[in-house]
Amino acid sequence: MTPSEQLQRYWETTGAGHTFTHPLDAELLSRHVSFEARILDYGCGYGRLAAELAALGYHRVCGVDPSAALVERGLSEHPGLDLRRLAGLPLPFADGEFDAALLFAVLTCVPQERVQRETVAELARVVRPGGVLYLSDVPIQRDEHHQARYRAAAEWAEAYGVFGIEDGGVFRHQDPVRLRALLAEQGFEVAEEHEDPVPTLDGKVVTRLQLVARRRA
């Protein structure tokens, strides 16, 4: 089984039972995205953020995820949401179909460099000129616990910041400089960014990086 196949299997089995904890900053979102906006929640999982957006008054939200198990869970927990299982790229949407896209702790779950680049490029395609990409993810952490995890994965990991957890999951914390460059390469300009502490899947706390970027016209 290839690493990609192992990762896919994880999110159809063990990973599909996780409770995601990466929070939405509703105030930050409201400064850049109107309630009338057509929003794509890419990597929506079981619809946690899509449900929160609906409760806030954003009613034109489409959530997509490659995991059939997570989408099935989402449709069960949040009936009425527009959640779709889309196995891969490209997405079946027109160029510029969305006013905004959310990419929440998704790159953390996609350790492969190629897939990260393809993901951001595809979101650049479906977000209209002047539209917004709200990216929230975990940068490389400096504490010894995480540094030890990165070192332990050095022999097999594609990049520094990749690590495995006890249940078989593989994740990647991001180099912020590379992350900003990746956005710039795909035509996004960062309009606002913040760091704050957030809980993790295993009950710890990390510093996250939020980037709100606007697609150049």
Side-chain angles (χ1 to χ4, degrees):
M1 186 179 297
T2 67
S4 293
E5 290 171 336
Q6 291 175 340
L7 192 61
Q8 181 180 0
R9 181 178 180 182
Y10 177 79
W11 289 111
E12 295 291 357
T13 54
T14 306
H18 281 305
T19 297
F20 300 146
T21 56
H22 205 87
L24 176 73
D25 186 332
E27 183 178 342
L28 176 59
L29 178 67
S30 69
R31 287 200 291 270
H32 299 273
V33 179
S34 72
F35 288 112
E36 296 75 28
R38 174 78 167 138
I39 301 173
L40 176 66
D41 180 9
Y42 184 82
C44 68
Y46 54 86
R48 176 182 62 102
L49 289 183
E52 187 172 345
L53 289 168
L56 288 169
Y58 297 93
H59 296 300
R60 303 178 67 202
V61 180
C62 174
V64 302
D65 199 281
S67 168
L70 280 169
V71 170
E72 181 179 354
R73 174 183 167 188
L75 292 172
S76 174
E77 294 184 6
H78 307 290
L81 291 183
D82 183 4
L83 305 180
R84 313 179 193 181
R85 192 256 176 159
L86 297 177
L89 303 176
L91 298 171
F93 303 118
D95 295 357
E97 185 168 337
F98 294 92
D99 301 298
L102 270 58
L103 195 62
F104 260 65
V106 172
L107 298 185
T108 286
C109 303
V110 182
Q112 308 98 319
E113 182 77 20
R114 175 186 59 80
V115 180
Q116 289 199 359
R117 289 183 175 278
E118 290 175 351
T119 298
V120 176
E122 184 65 357
L123 294 181
R125 182 186 70 79
V126 301
V127 170
R128 65 170 175 81
V132 165
L133 174 61
Y134 177 7
L135 187 158
S136 184
D137 218 296
V138 181
I140 290 173
Q141 305 290 294
R142 300 302 176 187
D143 61 278
E144 180 54 32
H145 169 74
H146 285 96
Q147 290 287 316
R149 278 182 157 182
Y150 306 152
R151 291 193 299 269
E155 291 186 1
W156 54 267
E158 180 180 339
Y160 186 74
V162 174
F163 62 97
I165 64 174
E166 291 73 14
D167 69 0
V170 177
F171 299 89
R172 178 178 179 176
H173 289 165
Q174 317 301 319
D175 176 349
V177 174
R178 172 191 156 276
L179 204 56
R180 296 185 191 98
L182 180 58
L183 293 176
E185 287 170 8
Q186 299 303 329
F188 288 104
E189 293 182 353
V190 175
E192 190 170 354
E193 67 176 85
H194 297 280
E195 290 188 349
D196 60 338
V198 297
T200 65
L201 293 177
D202 58 0
K204 295 182 171 57
V205 174
V206 293
T207 298
R208 72 150 164 192
L209 176 64
Q210 299 186 84
L211 299 171
V212 178
R214 194 166 294 277
R215 188 184 163 206
R216 290 191 288 269

